[in-house]
Amino acid sequence: MKAIAVRRGETSPSLVEHPRPEPGPGEALVRTLRVGVDGTDHGVLAGGHGQFPAGAEHMVLGHEAVGVVADPNGTGFEAGDVVVPTVRRQSNGPNEYFARGEPDMAPAGEYVERGIEGAHGFMAEYFTSPAETLVEVPSAFAELGFLVEPISITVKAMEHARASRSAFDWSPESALVLGNGSLGLLTLAMFREPFDRLYCLGRRDRPDPSIELIEALDATYVDSRETPVSEVADMHEGMDVVYEATGYPKHAFESIRALAPNGVAALLGVPDPWTFEIDGGALHRELVLHNKALVGSVNSNVGHFERAVDTLGDFPGWFLDDLVTGVYGIDEFGQAFADDDTTIKAAVEFGTR
Amino acid sequence: MKAIAVRRGETSPSLVEHPRPEPGPGEALVRTLRVGVDGTDHGVLAGGHGQFPAGAEHMVLGHEAVGVVADPNGTGFEAGDVVVPTVRRQSNGPNEYFARGEPDMAPAGEYVERGIEGAHGFMAEYFTSPAETLVEVPSAFAELGFLVEPISITVKAMEHARASRSAFDWSPESALVLGNGSLGLLTLAMFREPFDRLYCLGRRDRPDPSIELIEALDATYVDSRETPVSEVADMHEGMDVVYEATGYPKHAFESIRALAPNGVAALLGVPDPWTFEIDGGALHRELVLHNKALVGSVNSNVGHFERAVDTLGDFPGWFLDDLVTGVYGIDEFGQAFADDDTTIKAAVEFGTR
């Protein structure tokens, strides 16, 4: 079958011939509908994530998928069910994290991630997956279900961030999203309801489709070239929540200054090592004297996917129309990997329902 | 009346004559029994905290007090009740944080702190305090009740740290306390029950009374000159909890490396500004990929004090005997402020019950 993969030693995707998988016990065979592309995929292409599957000369890309069950293979699914797969799989035999439904909390070594690290992804005409890793979604989401995975990432991060503030009375009103990529914009849309005042930081010139979307969401665009993260609190206001989706490590630490008292920064970027100076004394003091928190968050589990399905259903149509700037057939997959200022969210379409 | 204070422009405590306070409406008059000394007091003497009370030429020291109600003044207390005062008071008119019993979460500008910032402390023969800031303790704690305040600091910090891990199944087993001062050792004793394996980091040579106490608590002493925080995970194990009580800002950031996956560092130090290099990329990546959290915590409220009273009652007598290395009368108060390797916890005694 056709698949989109990165070949060993290469840094751009290729169309490859890949064996069509046979479902094992407990697995369903899924016919792929669409697979989204995000910053993690670009990181995988650049070699910034993990290993290829053992012995493989290429790794099939893609971790944001929606598909339709082709062969239930004795699982509880029915042929035609629309499903979204989670990303992590056990790699080292059974472990407690997967057993209790929290693979997102498993430490390195206990998992592979499909399309990211050590396992083939979903950018192929078919994939197999254990039934417990497939989340059924309404058939109306056959087209946009590839957004469930990125939404679930924010669902999880915000559950952890909110939990960190649950030992006291906390009524957040303001939030700053760092990053105007697709995850940042999805998060901004998710933040419309819980927060009164939204800000989104990027470094783009107008006119720009992401800035237009930020403003259509009634958020304030903050140009980091004019207002660095460390000055946001002075120029705008202290933020009850900062959500970091840039992978720029100075933001992780500068977010302490952007927070209002008792605020929390959810960190999601996965940068490479980089040594730089910080005023660690002042940042440490500020974290303590104003009860601030930094919470790192990675991956998501079935519960987060299920709540993400509800979230996707709540998004207005105009937002989704503007967010998804392109859906490309297999033969034009390269456009889905474009990393330019006109692309917000793109996907490859392998089939239709 | 006699009081121990820091005079404007000085950095060591003095015995001063201070007006005996008259209780206002809703306030009780308390006859002071004992007041403990901790690192914050040394910080106040060094000028590292806030302002003196407006117009005052000295600030009475001390925030860790136990006393006995001398004049209930129409509050619900009875003369002879043994009480411990909380530290923060409203400074700027009523505010929501104090109204809901969470003065510990109030931002700068909304409070003063008795003996620390903007208000006289408790190191005097008498003090007054609003009834809602006085926590009654069993009369058996008339001698050691000055330990309730520092214990409450850890009660609060750990409530926030645990809350930050409440969005998933978390069963911490290992904990590292950074700092072998009195707060670190009190915390280590509090950690005996919830954790299986304890570590405490300091930089002292043997023989040393704090190292003896660490080992009597069945904890492993980690000499930071041999094993820096960043190497603790490799030399010993990754820690589910790190509790920072050193005020050394590199520890705040290096604690990320000392944590086990899904671990949390509670930060309590209040350092001065200090710029230094960190591998911010690697630390950010590690926070995210292993779902780690940093939680700053300051001060504590009545609920924390009440739970601290229970904790104090659970400590074994030998621990308290070894922890409190000196209780000094007013005329020898200087010894309570000694900052040497034989002093763990000292207090000034103003009276007995």
Side-chain angles (χ1 to χ4, degrees), chain A residues 35-39 41-42 64 146 179-185 204 207-211 213 320-328 332-348:
Chain A
V35 184
V37 175
D38 78 350
D41 297 303
H42 290 288
E64 301 178 350
F146 66 89
N180 56 344
S182 58
L183 182 60
L185 295 171
R204 294 272 188 89
D208 178 86
S210 73
I211 298 175
L213 202 41
L320 294 165
D321 288 345
D322 288 354
L323 183 83
V324 180
T325 48
V327 176
Y328 303 97
E332 48 183 11
F333 72 88
Q335 293 183 60
F337 286 88
D339 198 7
D340 58 46
D341 286 359
T342 62
T343 299
I344 298 179
K345 186 71 179 179
V348 179

Side-chain angles (χ1 to χ4, degrees), chain A residues 281-302:
Chain A
L283 293 175
H284 181 185
R285 184 183 182 97
E286 178 59 24
L287 259 174
V288 172
L289 287 185
H290 278 132
N291 295 291
K292 296 180 179 181
L294 302 182
V295 176
S297 179
V298 68
N299 197 250
S300 54
N301 65 41
V302 165

Side-chain angles (χ1 to χ4, degrees), chain A residues 48-50 88 97 100 102 104-108 111 156 159-160 163-170 244 246-253 256 261-262 267-285 287-299 304, chain B residues 48-50 88 97 100 102 104-108 111 156 159-160 163-170 244 246-253 256 261-262 267-285 287-299 304:
Chain A
H49 281 267
R88 285 194 175 172
Y97 300 94
R100 63 174 175 247
E102 293 182 346
D104 55 309
M105 303 306 290
Y111 63 82
K156 175 192 165 172
E159 284 184 12
H160 283 233
S164 80
R165 313 286 77 190
S166 63
F168 63 96
D169 192 336
W170 189 60
E244 177 272 318
T246 59
Y248 184 70
K250 287 187 177 180
H251 285 166
F253 303 97
I256 297 169
N262 310 331
L267 307 180
L268 287 94
V270 183
D272 291 325
W274 180 27
T275 296
F276 50 81
E277 283 195 337
I278 61 170
D279 185 346
L283 293 175
H284 181 185
R285 184 183 182 97
L287 259 174
V288 172
L289 287 185
H290 278 132
N291 295 291
K292 296 180 179 181
L294 302 182
V295 176
S297 179
V298 68
N299 197 250
H304 307 125
Chain B
H49 282 268
R88 285 194 176 173
Y97 300 94
R100 64 173 175 249
E102 292 182 346
D104 55 310
M105 303 306 290
Y111 62 82
K156 174 191 166 172
E159 284 184 11
H160 283 233
S164 80
R165 312 288 76 192
S166 63
F168 62 97
D169 191 335
W170 188 59
E244 177 271 319
T246 59
Y248 184 70
K250 288 188 176 179
H251 285 166
F253 303 96
I256 297 168
N262 310 329
L267 307 180
L268 287 95
V270 183
D272 291 324
W274 180 27
T275 296
F276 50 81
E277 284 195 336
I278 61 169
D279 185 346
L283 293 175
H284 181 185
R285 184 183 182 97
L287 259 174
V288 172
L289 288 184
H290 278 132
N291 296 291
K292 297 179 178 181
L294 302 183
V295 177
S297 180
V298 69
N299 196 254
H304 307 126

Side-chain angles (χ1 to χ4, degrees), chain A residues 5 11 53 86 99 147 182 256 320 330:
Chain A
T11 58
T86 65
L147 296 174
S182 58
I256 297 169
L320 294 165
I330 299 178

Side-chain angles (χ1 to χ4, degrees), chain B residues 67-259:
Chain B
V68 61
V69 174
D71 177 3
N73 190 38
T75 65
F77 289 103
E78 294 180 15
D81 284 348
V82 179
V83 294
V84 171
T86 65
V87 177
R88 285 194 176 173
R89 302 290 178 271
Q90 298 183 95
S91 66
N92 196 19
N95 71 69
E96 59 177 314
Y97 300 94
F98 282 76
R100 64 173 175 249
E102 292 182 346
D104 55 310
M105 303 306 290
E110 298 291 333
Y111 62 82
V112 291
E113 291 185 331
R114 296 198 62 164
I116 300 174
E117 180 174 351
H120 291 297
F122 306 118
M123 279 198 176
E125 291 174 278
Y126 291 87
F127 63 86
T128 57
S129 199
E132 69 273 17
T133 66
L134 293 171
V135 177
E136 188 173 352
V137 303
S139 57
F141 291 163
E143 293 190 331
L144 290 176
F146 66 89
L147 295 174
V148 170
E149 194 276 344
I151 294 168
S152 76
I153 294 295
T154 296
V155 168
K156 174 191 166 172
M158 288 307 298
E159 284 184 11
H160 283 233
R162 283 188 175 274
S164 80
R165 312 288 76 192
S166 63
F168 62 97
D169 191 335
W170 188 59
S171 301
E173 296 178 354
S174 56
L176 167 66
V177 173
L178 303 179
N180 57 345
S182 59
L183 182 59
L185 295 171
L186 277 169
T187 300
L188 203 60
M190 293 166 71
F191 280 4
R192 285 184 316 150
E193 198 192 332
F195 300 104
D196 296 333
R197 298 178 304 283
L198 295 178
Y199 302 81
C200 186
L201 178 135
R203 45 176 184 167
R204 295 272 189 89
D205 294 318
R206 299 170 192 269
D208 176 88
S210 73
I211 299 175
E212 286 164 20
L213 202 41
I214 289 165
E215 294 179 342
L217 290 166
D218 293 325
T220 299
Y221 173 62
V222 179
D223 187 328
S224 65
R225 298 165 300 186
E226 296 167 5
T227 309
V229 174
S230 57
E231 294 176 16
V232 165
D234 287 336
M235 294 298 289
H236 296 282
E237 61 178 312
M239 302 293 162
D240 296 315
V241 167
V242 171
Y243 181 99
E244 177 271 319
T246 59
Y248 184 70
K250 288 188 176 179
H251 285 166
F253 303 96
E254 290 173 353
S255 68
I256 297 168
R257 289 193 197 275
L259 288 171

